[in-house]
Amino acid sequence: MTTLVDVANTSSRTLRLLSLLQARAYWPGPELADRLGVSVRTLRRDVERLRDLGYPVDATSGPEGGYRLAAGASLPPLALDDEEAVALALALQGAATNSDDDDNGAAAQPALRALTKVVQVMPPRLRRRVDALRAVAVSGPWGAEGGPDPAVLLTLAQACRDTERLALDYTAADGTRTQRRVEPHALVRLGRRWYLLAWDLGRGDWRTLRVDRTATARVEGGRFRPRELPGPDALAVVEGSIRTAPARHEVSAVLHVPADEARARLGGWAHIEELDPAQRGRCRLRMSTESLDWAAFALARARCDVSAVEPSALRDHLRAWSERFAAASSASSA
Amino acid sequence: MTTLVDVANTSSRTLRLLSLLQARAYWPGPELADRLGVSVRTLRRDVERLRDLGYPVDATSGPEGGYRLAAGASLPPLALDDEEAVALALALQGAATNSDDDDNGAAAQPALRALTKVVQVMPPRLRRRVDALRAVAVSGPWGAEGGPDPAVLLTLAQACRDTERLALDYTAADGTRTQRRVEPHALVRLGRRWYLLAWDLGRGDWRTLRVDRTATARVEGGRFRPRELPGPDALAVVEGSIRTAPARHEVSAVLHVPADEARARLGGWAHIEELDPAQRGRCRLRMSTESLDWAAFALARARCDVSAVEPSALRDHLRAWSERFAAASSASSA
DNA sequence: ACATTGCGGACAGCAACTGGCCGCGACCGC
DNA sequence: GCGGTCGCGGCCAGTTGCTGTCCGCAATGT
């Protein structure tokens, strides 16, 4: 399974040892030595080598003893099997495309980087499995938001990292479709959208493109030498070129349940504050969101009476839902 | 940054080379050699070594040529930096705890396995960052469902893999809290819940415990020799011990928008079917869910009139929401 | 055509690795 | 307490492997 090829090499053995230590927590020394095809003495030396490399290998003596890879100063290369790799690719993809704005929005960037690493070295058969599952596993409300195509996002990320020219099918804001050849420079996440900062070869100028408006992206082969950015920082450039930040709503409401009960029902989804002691059995909900749908949903999940709903836009929203639901729940046939 | 420790070792250099090749796609040979502190000739030999190990390193000649790590027969050990590791841990954790039932429910198991691997070798400082972000990043409606504590889930997974005895604080179905000492055998995901199949040392019998009812779990130190399962398969045992599968709702409704518009608004969230051509401008929504909240939310996201809502329970649900929202949207003060 | 880059053979010197042996300490079950 | 099992690390002698340098060759883009 993980046997790869047996090379008698010392360094290859060290790599194999690292993999083995990650696959199982405890390994009796003799078994390890047998697996690696060396004597126990040499195994000890290999372990010592790993330790010198900075990977702390704990060992316990006595019967049932053995070696175990512990947490160290830096992360060792992860040896994952096929299933784990697929799960990882899907999870990272979800994190890169779906993650919430304020929370792990910052984590989306590293997630995307990690994803490019994984995908680049992933065997084709695994990539096919990921592609197949991707279709099924959109699974999540964000898909509804017309988020970026994960495949496109991934291609763009790789091209940025590798400084490779791209050909894009792009739909501009006014709906016109254009073909663009660009030198991609950076992917920036702003709000809950991804933007590609690129040098447009057709127009000879910098452009900020929305990834979710990019239908297809393919690598054109040629690599390029990065130009100097028209600003101190990719983020700054993109921010400058985006007109307005998407409107945020600061939601506030009073829930007619005790605070801890509300927290239990809503999880970490909204901030729940205690009200003053006189108002026992009630609490205040606060959340900051771009989508009133989410706010309405949160109120619904609270399963209790609600009052003092705060942006008036949300009240309008609730009224609209209410009317629609009333209609839907009464009419039982088309 | 990634320098670890400089060991003049050959094997360490091979590891470093692997990391470098993953960090950037193209590396000119001379630059690589310089980074590794060896001559180009030795670099070529190192590359050859990697190839012998099964990692396909592509090389292109000519100016702008260089080395690149391609997709191979098996996944090479992933060398991730700190940020990537944190993002990865968060993403995997999300996949393991939140993932939807039918879709990547199957992927939850490998995700959890991968997570145990990562966490086991993750430096404490990174683990702290993950823990810190975890609190913020529940971010998602599932948190509200009282899903399992990721930390507990992780501890259980590690203990299963390492066959280590555990002490659990468990809240039984009737609400009584008990302390249990168990030998954990397998984690099984059924429906959208995690179950721990374990041998209860206090009672001397097998038990199936719900992970989300487990408040704390700590490793007791001792390792044990796995007992024989009372069935062919952990899944079978757990299935047998769970009385009823959680009730599922097969939701159906007619949306008063064209099918493709509905798909655009709902993403992969629900299945949208065309109706017969006479009914242009309408389509049928189908989804299968355990939570009527989600169904209601989906209908709301469709932002259109809805009719022929199908389980009557959902109609009741909608009516309840409607009334609550009507109240909330009119009363603007507590 | 030229420069740049990768490929691989040959060689000599040096460094490292290997296996076998040893005594030591830690730990567990009897 | 005692013996068995296991990890630790020193020592040694033989062998293996690695390294840098030099070389001619092939591929590629300017």
Side-chain angles (χ1 to χ4, degrees), chain A residues 2-332:
Chain A
T2 326
T3 11
L4 296 184
V5 196
D6 13 23
V7 189
N9 248 325
T10 308
S11 26
S12 89
R13 205 182 50 238
T14 309
L15 235 48
R16 292 224 314 274
L17 176 56
L18 201 53
S19 305
L20 289 177
L21 284 176
Q22 286 181 46
R24 238 169 66 182
Y26 278 101
W27 286 92
E31 192 177 344
L32 269 184
D34 184 57
R35 281 254 185 162
L36 298 173
V38 293
S39 68
V40 254
R41 184 65 186 88
T42 302
L43 169 70
R44 281 204 290 276
R45 273 192 275 250
D46 284 354
V47 170
E48 193 186 344
R49 207 194 322 279
L50 279 186
R51 288 177 181 150
D52 280 352
L53 275 172
Y55 307 130
V57 183
D58 285 356
T60 46
S61 327
E64 297 286 306
Y67 295 92
R68 119 175 263 165
L69 189 56
S74 76
L75 199 73
L78 292 176
L80 302 176
D81 65 30
D82 287 4
E83 290 188 323
E84 291 164 353
V86 171
L88 180 132
L90 287 173
L92 283 176
Q93 181 183 290
T97 58
N98 296 340
S99 68
D100 232 345
D101 28 13
D102 21 47
D103 305 344
N104 27 12
Q109 206 105 24
L112 189 54
R113 273 214 317 276
L115 185 57
T116 63
K117 277 190 181 175
V118 178
V119 170
Q120 186 185 0
V121 296
M122 191 157 46
R125 65 169 195 288
L126 294 187
R127 209 174 310 183
R128 278 196 296 276
R129 276 171 58 187
V130 172
D131 288 341
L133 286 173
R134 167 153 52 206
V136 190
V138 219
S139 125
W142 300 274
E145 229 129 80
D149 180 354
V152 170
L153 186 62
L154 189 55
T155 306
L156 298 185
Q158 282 183 316
C160 284
R161 192 193 53 181
D162 304 348
T163 61
E164 287 178 317
R165 292 207 182 79
L166 286 173
L168 308 178
D169 285 321
Y170 191 74
T171 307
D174 56 12
T176 56
R177 291 228 160 91
T178 51
Q179 262 266 354
R180 304 193 179 210
R181 294 183 54 246
V182 301
E183 295 179 349
H185 276 250
L187 274 172
V188 176
R189 194 181 167 87
L190 217 55
R192 64 189 342 154
R193 287 216 180 83
W194 282 103
Y195 297 92
L196 174 70
L197 176 60
W199 174 269
D200 191 319
L201 287 169
R203 288 153 185 81
D205 194 9
W206 290 97
R207 289 293 142 106
T208 300
L209 305 175
R210 270 177 53 176
V211 176
D212 58 315
R213 292 227 171 101
T214 306
T216 63
R218 64 183 180 288
V219 177
E220 278 212 320
R223 289 207 299 295
F224 63 92
R225 203 169 301 282
R227 293 164 201 270
E228 203 170 335
L229 286 180
D233 184 352
L235 178 61
V237 176
V238 171
E239 264 179 340
S241 76
I242 301 302
R243 36 223 153 286
T244 62
R248 291 195 70 88
H249 306 278
E250 299 300 328
V251 172
S252 155
V254 170
L255 305 182
H256 296 208
V257 283
D260 44 359
E261 180 60 31
R263 264 188 277 267
R265 291 187 191 167
L266 290 171
W269 218 24
H271 296 284
I272 302 294
E273 300 167 1
E274 311 275 351
L275 288 177
D276 61 283
Q279 303 244 11
R280 287 201 69 73
R282 301 194 173 188
C283 60
R284 174 170 300 283
L285 169 149
R286 285 191 191 283
M287 65 188 294
S288 169
T289 179
E290 290 173 20
S291 156
L292 289 178
D293 282 349
W294 285 106
F297 188 50
L299 293 182
R301 299 276 314 188
R303 290 198 305 281
C304 64
D305 286 340
V306 177
S307 57
V309 175
E310 227 356 275
S312 64
L314 178 56
R315 289 201 297 276
D316 296 343
H317 212 72
L318 291 178
R319 197 170 307 118
W321 277 33
S322 167
E323 284 160 10
R324 215 178 302 136
F325 280 170
S329 60
S330 58
S332 72

Side-chain angles (χ1 to χ4, degrees), chain A residues 4-5 7 9-12 14-15 18-19 21-23 25-26 49 52-55 60 64-65 68-81 83-85 87-88 90-92 95 100 103-104 107 110-111 113-114 117-118 120-125 127 136-146 161-162 164 223 225 254 264-269 282 291 293-294 296-297 299-301 303-310 315 318-319 321-334, chain B residues 4-5 7 9-12 14-15 18 21-26 49-50 52-55 64-65 68-81 83-85 87-88 90-92 95 100 103-104 107 110-111 113-114 117-118 120-125 127 136-146 161-162 164 223 225 254 264-269 282 291 293-294 296-297 299-301 303-310 315 318-319 321-334:
Chain A
L4 296 184
V5 196
V7 189
N9 248 325
T10 308
S11 26
S12 89
T14 309
L15 235 48
L18 201 53
S19 305
L21 284 176
Q22 286 181 46
Y26 278 101
R49 207 194 322 279
D52 280 352
L53 275 172
Y55 307 130
T60 46
E64 297 286 306
R68 119 175 263 165
L69 189 56
S74 76
L75 199 73
L78 292 176
L80 302 176
D81 65 30
E83 290 188 323
E84 291 164 353
L88 180 132
L90 287 173
L92 283 176
D100 232 345
D103 305 344
N104 27 12
R113 273 214 317 276
K117 277 190 181 175
V118 178
Q120 186 185 0
V121 296
M122 191 157 46
R125 65 169 195 288
R127 209 174 310 183
V136 190
V138 219
S139 125
W142 300 274
E145 229 129 80
R161 192 193 53 181
D162 304 348
E164 287 178 317
R223 289 207 299 295
R225 203 169 301 282
V254 170
R265 291 187 191 167
L266 290 171
W269 218 24
R282 301 194 173 188
S291 156
D293 282 349
W294 285 106
F297 188 50
L299 293 182
R301 299 276 314 188
R303 290 198 305 281
C304 64
D305 286 340
V306 177
S307 57
V309 175
E310 227 356 275
R315 289 201 297 276
L318 291 178
R319 197 170 307 118
W321 277 33
S322 167
E323 284 160 10
R324 215 178 302 136
F325 280 170
S329 60
S330 58
S332 72
S333 78
Chain B
L4 297 183
V5 197
V7 189
N9 245 324
T10 309
S11 25
S12 90
T14 309
L15 237 47
L18 201 55
L21 285 175
Q22 286 180 41
R24 238 168 68 183
Y26 278 103
R49 207 195 322 278
L50 279 186
D52 281 352
L53 273 172
Y55 308 133
E64 298 287 304
R68 118 175 264 165
L69 189 56
S74 75
L75 199 73
L78 292 175
L80 303 175
D81 65 29
E83 290 188 325
E84 290 165 352
L88 179 138
L90 287 174
L92 282 177
D100 233 346
D103 304 343
N104 27 13
R113 273 216 316 278
K117 276 191 182 175
V118 178
Q120 187 183 3
V121 296
M122 190 156 47
R125 65 170 194 288
R127 208 173 311 181
V136 190
V138 220
S139 123
W142 298 275
E145 225 130 82
R161 192 192 55 180
D162 304 348
E164 287 179 317
R223 290 208 298 297
R225 202 170 303 280
V254 171
R265 290 185 190 169
L266 290 171
W269 217 25
R282 300 192 173 190
S291 157
D293 282 348
W294 284 105
F297 187 51
L299 293 181
R301 299 277 311 188
R303 290 198 305 280
C304 64
D305 285 341
V306 178
S307 58
V309 175
E310 231 351 281
R315 289 201 296 278
L318 290 179
R319 195 169 310 118
W321 278 33
S322 167
E323 286 161 9
R324 214 177 304 136
F325 280 171
S329 59
S330 59
S332 72
S333 80

Side-chain angles (χ1 to χ4, degrees), chain B:
Chain B
M1 184 162 284
T2 325
T3 10
L4 297 183
V5 197
D6 11 27
V7 189
N9 245 324
T10 309
S11 25
S12 90
R13 206 183 48 238
T14 309
L15 237 47
R16 290 223 318 271
L17 175 57
L18 201 55
S19 305
L20 290 177
L21 285 175
Q22 286 180 41
R24 238 168 68 183
Y26 278 103
W27 286 92
E31 192 178 343
L32 269 186
D34 184 55
R35 282 251 185 166
L36 298 173
V38 292
S39 68
V40 247
R41 184 66 185 92
T42 302
L43 169 69
R44 282 204 289 277
R45 275 192 273 249
D46 284 353
V47 169
E48 192 186 346
R49 207 195 322 278
L50 279 186
R51 287 179 181 147
D52 281 352
L53 273 172
Y55 308 133
V57 183
D58 287 357
T60 47
S61 328
E64 298 287 304
Y67 295 92
R68 118 175 264 165
L69 189 56
S74 75
L75 199 73
L78 292 175
L80 303 175
D81 65 29
D82 287 4
E83 290 188 325
E84 290 165 352
V86 171
L88 179 138
L90 287 174
L92 282 177
Q93 181 183 291
T97 58
N98 296 341
S99 69
D100 233 346
D101 27 13
D102 21 48
D103 304 343
N104 27 13
Q109 206 103 24
L112 189 54
R113 273 216 316 278
L115 186 57
T116 63
K117 276 191 182 175
V118 178
V119 169
Q120 187 183 3
V121 296
M122 190 156 47
R125 65 170 194 288
L126 294 187
R127 208 173 311 181
R128 277 196 298 276
R129 274 172 60 186
V130 172
D131 288 341
L133 286 172
R134 168 153 52 206
V136 190
V138 220
S139 123
W142 298 275
E145 225 130 82
D149 179 352
V152 170
L153 186 61
L154 190 54
T155 305
L156 298 185
Q158 283 183 317
C160 283
R161 192 192 55 180
D162 304 348
T163 60
E164 287 179 317
R165 292 207 182 82
L166 287 173
L168 308 178
D169 284 320
Y170 191 74
T171 307
D174 56 13
T176 56
R177 292 229 160 92
T178 51
Q179 261 266 354
R180 303 193 179 211
R181 294 184 54 245
V182 301
E183 295 179 349
H185 276 250
L187 273 172
V188 177
R189 195 184 166 87
L190 216 56
R192 64 186 346 153
R193 287 217 178 83
W194 282 103
Y195 298 91
L196 174 70
L197 176 59
W199 174 270
D200 189 318
L201 287 170
R203 287 151 185 82
D205 194 9
W206 291 95
R207 289 294 143 103
T208 300
L209 306 175
R210 272 177 52 176
V211 176
D212 58 316
R213 292 227 172 100
T214 306
T216 62
R218 65 183 178 289
V219 177
E220 279 213 320
R223 290 208 298 297
F224 63 92
R225 202 170 303 280
R227 294 162 200 270
E228 204 170 338
L229 286 179
D233 184 352
L235 179 61
V237 175
V238 172
E239 265 180 339
S241 76
I242 301 301
R243 36 224 154 284
T244 62
R248 291 195 69 88
H249 306 278
E250 299 301 327
V251 171
S252 156
V254 171
L255 304 182
H256 297 210
V257 282
D260 44 359
E261 180 60 30
R263 263 189 278 267
R265 290 185 190 169
L266 290 171
W269 217 25
H271 297 284
I272 302 294
E273 299 167 4
E274 311 275 350
L275 288 176
D276 60 281
Q279 304 242 8
R280 288 200 68 74
R282 300 192 173 190
C283 62
R284 177 171 298 283
L285 169 149
R286 283 190 193 284
M287 65 188 294
S288 170
T289 178
E290 290 174 20
S291 157
L292 290 178
D293 282 348
W294 284 105
F297 187 51
L299 293 181
R301 299 277 311 188
R303 290 198 305 280
C304 64
D305 285 341
V306 178
S307 58
V309 175
E310 231 351 281
S312 64
L314 178 55
R315 289 201 296 278
D316 296 342
H317 213 72
L318 290 179
R319 195 169 310 118
W321 278 33
S322 167
E323 286 161 9
R324 214 177 304 136
F325 280 171
S329 59
S330 59
S332 72
S333 80

